[in-house]
Amino acid sequence: MKVIVPVKRVIDFNVKVRVKADGSGVDLANVKMSMNPFDEIAVEEAIRLKEKGIANEIIAVSIGPQQAGETIRTALAMGADRGILVKVDSDVEPLAIAKILKAICEAEQPGLVILGKQAIDDDSNQTGQMLAALLGWPQGTFAHKLEISDGKAGVEREIDGGLQTVEVKLPAIVTTDLRLNEPRYASLPNIMKAKKKPIDQKTPADYGVDVTPRLKVLKVTEPPKRQSGMKLKTAAELVGKLKEIGAI
């Protein structure tokens, strides 16, 4: 079975995000970038499927600027077999990404697509669901556990009330949640091997997809700073302060 894993280049989760002075977006100058953490989990799960003999090829796909090739190389160093870079210099919305991935799936005919449930930059949480709708494939989102057998995928999902288990027929779309696994670190020998693994370069036009944005960002602002707390000696003082701020 062939597995496709989309990976996105985002600001590293350890970096403190800065908003541009004019409020037009996030400042990316000289900022460390890395693979979206949820996508790392997806890559790890695909590798585990290959180690079990369920998958025989893992294809890492990234849609973004030329530097997104580095993100694919990270996936290749972890254990993916080859990559596809769809080069786009502008921001691409989830629907356009889903359309490109649909075309790639039609060309590659995978048995499974595993992707992060959301990217930590835009938090859209839309691409996996849109891709499933476009392909007409079943989907198991927010995967906490994944088991493949007899042409079916059993997905234990994280939901508000706890865990839910669903079974879907393959081919299918699975989106990963945080507790699905712990991604491995790429070893130095695998990092060196990754440099020789092939990465095909494509453009959205190759797949007949228009990536013109449908949405316009009007303004980006930082969240309000949290006010410092205070110590109160009595319950009466607490009630008085809550009335003062309009909490009661």
Side-chain angles (χ1 to χ4, degrees):
M1 179 176 71
K2 193 182 291 186
V3 179
I4 287 180
V5 186
V7 293
K8 186 177 183 181
R9 179 177 181 264
V10 299
I11 294 177
D12 189 89
F13 72 95
N14 288 310
V15 173
K16 178 175 173 55
V17 176
R18 301 188 307 271
V19 175
K20 292 179 180 178
D22 60 0
S24 61
V26 173
D27 187 4
L28 299 179
N30 301 315
V31 172
K32 181 183 177 184
M33 308 293 282
S34 61
M35 187 189 301
N36 179 47
F38 289 102
D39 297 341
E40 280 188 305
I41 294 169
V43 173
E44 174 65 27
E45 195 64 22
I47 295 168
R48 294 186 184 190
L49 291 176
K50 188 177 180 183
E51 290 172 343
K52 293 176 183 176
I54 296 171
N56 57 17
E57 186 180 28
I58 302 169
I59 306 169
V61 179
S62 193
I63 301 164
Q66 189 65 42
Q67 295 92 322
E70 299 169 10
T71 308
I72 295 178
R73 289 290 177 201
T74 301
L76 296 177
M78 289 174 68
D81 297 294
R82 60 186 174 95
I84 299 174
L85 172 62
V86 182
K87 191 173 179 300
V88 186
D89 290 322
S90 59
D91 290 337
V92 187
E93 294 172 0
L95 180 58
I97 292 173
K99 287 180 178 179
I100 293 171
L101 292 175
K102 172 180 180 284
I104 292 173
C105 288
E106 289 173 344
E108 296 288 347
Q109 294 294 306
L112 185 66
V113 179
I114 310 177
L115 64 162
K117 70 171 185 177
Q118 65 195 73
I120 62 171
D121 52 1
D122 58 19
D123 277 334
S124 292
N125 186 6
Q126 296 175 338
T127 303
Q129 293 88 328
M130 288 178 169
L131 178 59
L134 290 172
L135 287 169
W137 290 4
Q139 59 181 301
T141 54
F142 317 139
H144 173 89
K145 186 178 180 181
L146 174 64
E147 292 186 355
I148 308 289
S149 63
D150 301 324
K152 296 178 181 178
V155 182
E156 193 173 85
R157 306 177 59 238
E158 294 196 27
I159 58 175
D160 291 341
L163 297 174
Q164 176 193 55
T165 302
V166 297
E167 186 179 79
V168 296
K169 291 183 179 180
L170 300 179
I173 309 295
V174 173
T175 70
T176 61
D177 217 319
L178 277 175
R179 282 158 287 276
L180 178 60
N181 61 50
E182 183 72 27
R184 69 192 66 191
Y185 289 102
S187 65
L188 182 57
N190 286 339
I191 292 173
M192 300 305 293
K193 289 177 184 176
K195 294 180 180 180
K196 298 180 180 179
K197 292 182 179 179
I199 298 179
D200 292 335
Q201 293 218 18
K202 301 286 187 179
T203 66
D206 293 332
Y207 298 108
V209 178
D210 179 12
V211 296
T212 303
R214 289 174 164 78
L215 304 175
K216 181 181 179 181
V217 176
L218 300 179
K219 191 175 183 182
V220 177
T221 59
E222 293 187 10
K225 292 184 179 179
R226 186 175 179 178
Q227 295 182 351
S228 59
M230 61 182 69
K231 292 183 179 180
L232 303 173
K233 294 181 179 179
T234 66
E237 282 186 77
L238 174 61
V239 171
K241 181 58 68 175
L242 290 174
K243 286 181 177 179
E244 181 183 321
I245 65 175
I248 58 173

